[in-house]
């Protein structure tokens, strides 16, 4: 049936196809069509070409026909495929999206593909609708209504904005040794040990460790970082109490910054981060002495990303804590802390008050009313 389709390639076409096959950075179907055309130009029969290239006889026939009736580009490219008509019109798809974003039926925790298909059938003239049709239309709109993500949703008001700008202004100030800015936070760590010794990695083989493990309780890490200097301190404590917090503040004053006139501490709204914690741990005169050297600045609630030490804790978790160990003494060996301080590592903070006002204009109550 394909005798009338005779492939005769020019020298330029042969060179193009040969170069295409030598590079091999094309779609597999296009490369097979190039092989078919070169073999047909060499005088091979259709049966021989189909067997050598590992394609069907109809593929050989179509490729030769498209070359003879068209050109090389048409023979190598895909023909447009009509496909089936969409079952949902634009309005029906918008209705599906609106339904998926609404509350699920009573008695159900979330929408499923089956529930959405049934809802659209009830709202339109369709007699039936498959779950796959619903899934494709939702995927095209970036929706997965059966999934949820837990998130800290802050209350954005004047207090939120005031605290945010206060912290951002501190970060933007020029370094002042007499008034250092220190970010402070905590992070719990589980002490998990191996029951069986892991098998070390080998060429072509990953390290293997047993699924069973041993728990040895938890410890707490108090982490502080200087905003303007490459310095951080990690203190290991068995608990996270107001007394432990108070001792960290006294160490800031007496050990780490003994010559500073005022240490400005950026921290979150945890209940132990209070002035009263120092009076619980020390005598009133001692607590007052420490507090005279401290100035507290609080991030807005549910806005931990504004505390620079959160980034440092993330680095600590990825570089040091991402392993099993049930011995609390290994945490007290400050190798990671010393190496990071010696390397001069700092947090490159780029978010400023001006950028906040530009990017978060709706968060400002006055600006929102004026708009």
């Amino acid at each position: 049936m394909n005798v009338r389709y005779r492939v005769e390639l020019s020298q330029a076409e042969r060179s193009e196809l040969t170069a295409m096959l030598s590079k091999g950075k094309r779609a597999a179907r296009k490369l097979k069509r190039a092989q078919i055309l070169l073999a047909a130009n060499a005088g091979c029969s259709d049966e021989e070409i189909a067997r050598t290239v590992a394609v069907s006889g109809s593929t050989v026939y179509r490729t030769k026909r498209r070359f003879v009736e068209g050109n090389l580009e048409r023979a190598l490219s895909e023909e447009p495929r009509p496909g089936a008509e969409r079952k949902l019109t634009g309005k029906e798809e918008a209705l599906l999206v609106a339904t998926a974003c609404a509350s699920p039926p009573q008695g159900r925790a979330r929408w499923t593909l089956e529930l959405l298909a049934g809802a659209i059938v009830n709202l339109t003239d369709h007699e039936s609708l498959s779950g796959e049709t619903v899934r494709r239309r939702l995927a095209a709109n970036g929706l997965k209504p059966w999934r949820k993500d837990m998130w800290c949703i802050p209350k954005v008001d004047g207090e939120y904005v005031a605290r945010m700008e206060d912290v951002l202004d501190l970060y933007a100030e020029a370094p002042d040794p007499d008034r250092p800015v220190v970010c402070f936070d905590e992070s719990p760590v589980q002490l998990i040990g191996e029951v069986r010794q892991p098998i070390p990695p080998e060429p072509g083989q990953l390290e293997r460790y047993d699924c069973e493990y041993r728990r040895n309780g938890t410890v707490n890490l108090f982490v502080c970082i200087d905003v303007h200097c490459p310095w951080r301190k990690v203190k290991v404590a068995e608990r996270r109490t107001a007394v432990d917090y108070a001792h960290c503040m006294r160490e800031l004053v007496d050990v780490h910054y003994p010559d500073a006139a005022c240490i400005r501490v950026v921290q979150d709204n945890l209940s132990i981060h209070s002035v009263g914690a120092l009076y619980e741990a020390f005598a009133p005169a001692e607590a007052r002495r420490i507090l005279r050297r401290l100035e507290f600045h609080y991030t807005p609630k549910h806005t931990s990303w504004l505390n620079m030490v959160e980034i440092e804790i993330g680095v600590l978790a990825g570089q040091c804590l991402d392993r099993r160990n049930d011995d609390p003494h290994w945490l007290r060996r400050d190798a990671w802390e010393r190496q990071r301080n010696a390397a001069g590592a700092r947090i490159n903070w780029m978010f400023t008050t001006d950028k906040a006002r530009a990017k978060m204009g709706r968060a400002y109550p006055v600006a929102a009313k004026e708009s």
Side-chain angles (χ1 to χ4, degrees):
M1 70 181 168
N2 57 348
V3 177
R4 58 195 176 99
Y5 297 118
R6 187 179 186 86
V7 175
E8 294 182 355
L9 298 172
S10 65
Q11 182 61 40
E13 291 171 337
R14 285 197 301 271
S15 300
E16 181 180 348
L17 294 176
T18 303
M20 182 187 303
L21 293 174
S22 64
K23 293 179 180 178
K25 295 182 180 180
R26 302 294 182 90
R29 290 182 179 180
K30 181 169 286 191
L31 296 177
K32 284 185 177 293
R33 296 188 189 104
Q35 292 174 333
I36 291 172
L37 293 175
L38 288 173
N41 182 73
C44 298
S45 65
D46 289 1
E47 294 77 10
E48 184 180 355
I49 295 173
R51 184 175 61 257
T52 304
V53 184
V55 295
S56 63
S58 59
T59 300
V60 177
Y61 173 78
R62 287 196 304 271
T63 303
K64 294 171 64 177
R65 174 175 58 82
R66 290 166 62 185
F67 175 77
V68 173
E69 294 180 350
N71 51 32
L72 181 61
E73 181 62 28
R74 181 182 173 189
L76 294 175
S77 59
E78 292 277 354
E79 286 183 331
R81 301 179 182 181
E85 294 184 2
R86 286 188 178 181
K87 292 187 177 180
L88 297 180
T89 64
K91 290 185 178 180
E92 291 170 343
E93 184 173 334
L95 180 61
L96 171 63
V97 171
T99 303
C101 293
S103 300
Q106 189 174 0
R108 293 298 189 111
R110 62 187 61 85
W111 285 106
T112 64
L113 296 178
E114 182 181 0
L115 285 175
L116 286 170
I120 297 304
V121 167
N122 293 333
L123 294 172
T124 62
D125 296 332
H126 291 281
E127 295 182 358
S128 64
L129 201 63
S130 68
E132 180 62 15
T133 298
V134 174
R135 186 196 67 79
R136 288 180 179 177
R137 294 301 91 213
L138 292 177
N141 289 277
L143 281 175
K144 294 181 180 180
W146 52 90
R147 295 186 61 183
K148 292 183 179 180
D149 192 11
M150 183 177 290
W151 197 256
C152 289
I153 304 175
K155 179 183 178 182
V156 180
D157 55 9
E159 181 67 19
Y160 176 99
V161 172
R163 290 191 176 189
M164 177 181 67
E165 292 201 351
D166 176 52
V167 172
L168 293 178
D169 286 345
L170 279 178
Y171 292 166
E173 285 186 8
D176 185 355
D178 290 333
R179 294 171 54 82
V181 179
V182 177
C183 294
F184 180 87
D185 204 2
E186 306 88 359
S187 178
V189 175
Q190 293 190 60
L191 298 175
I192 297 177
E194 302 286 0
V195 176
R196 299 172 185 83
Q197 190 66 24
I199 302 174
E202 299 176 355
Q205 180 67 59
L206 298 175
E207 178 185 7
R208 287 165 286 178
Y209 60 94
D210 196 82
C211 60
E212 188 177 355
Y213 56 87
R214 177 176 55 248
R215 296 194 62 181
N216 192 24
T218 61
V219 294
N220 185 74
L221 303 182
F222 290 100
V223 186
C224 54
I225 180 173
D226 194 306
V227 170
H228 299 117
C229 299
W231 176 85
R232 72 271 300 132
K233 181 64 180 177
V234 181
K235 181 181 179 181
V236 182
E238 295 184 359
R239 300 175 300 170
R240 185 186 67 178
T241 65
V243 174
D244 296 309
Y245 166 77
H247 281 279
C248 289
M249 293 299 102
R250 183 163 70 172
E251 289 181 10
L252 273 180
V253 169
D254 295 341
V255 179
H256 304 307
Y257 296 94
D259 300 326
C262 177
I263 305 168
R264 294 173 288 179
V265 181
V266 177
Q267 56 190 0
D268 60 22
N269 298 272
L270 190 65
S271 59
I272 65 173
H273 295 172
S274 66
V275 173
L278 281 87
Y279 284 89
E280 291 183 27
F282 309 117
E286 176 67 1
R288 196 69 240 159
R289 180 189 69 84
I290 298 171
L291 288 172
R292 286 195 183 100
R293 301 266 311 282
L294 295 174
E295 180 181 294
F296 296 124
H297 297 261
Y298 293 93
T299 60
K301 292 182 179 180
H302 301 309
T303 318
S304 59
W305 59 270
L306 271 173
N307 197 340
M308 196 180 292
V309 76
E310 291 283 353
I311 302 175
E312 189 69 17
I313 292 175
V315 176
L316 171 63
Q319 294 183 353
C320 180
L321 304 181
D322 190 16
R323 51 179 162 167
R324 288 181 178 179
N325 201 312
D326 60 352
D327 183 8
H329 297 290
W330 74 277
L331 284 171
R332 294 185 171 90
R333 301 173 189 147
D334 55 351
W336 179 86
E337 173 191 308
R338 285 185 283 105
Q339 292 173 5
R340 192 140 166 88
N341 285 339
R346 296 181 57 181
I347 304 299
N348 185 22
W349 188 266
M350 303 178 66
F351 197 59
T352 63
T353 300
D354 291 337
K355 290 183 178 180
R357 292 176 179 176
K359 292 180 176 294
M360 303 174 62
R362 293 181 180 273
Y364 288 76
V366 176
K369 292 178 181 178
E370 291 178 353
S371 60

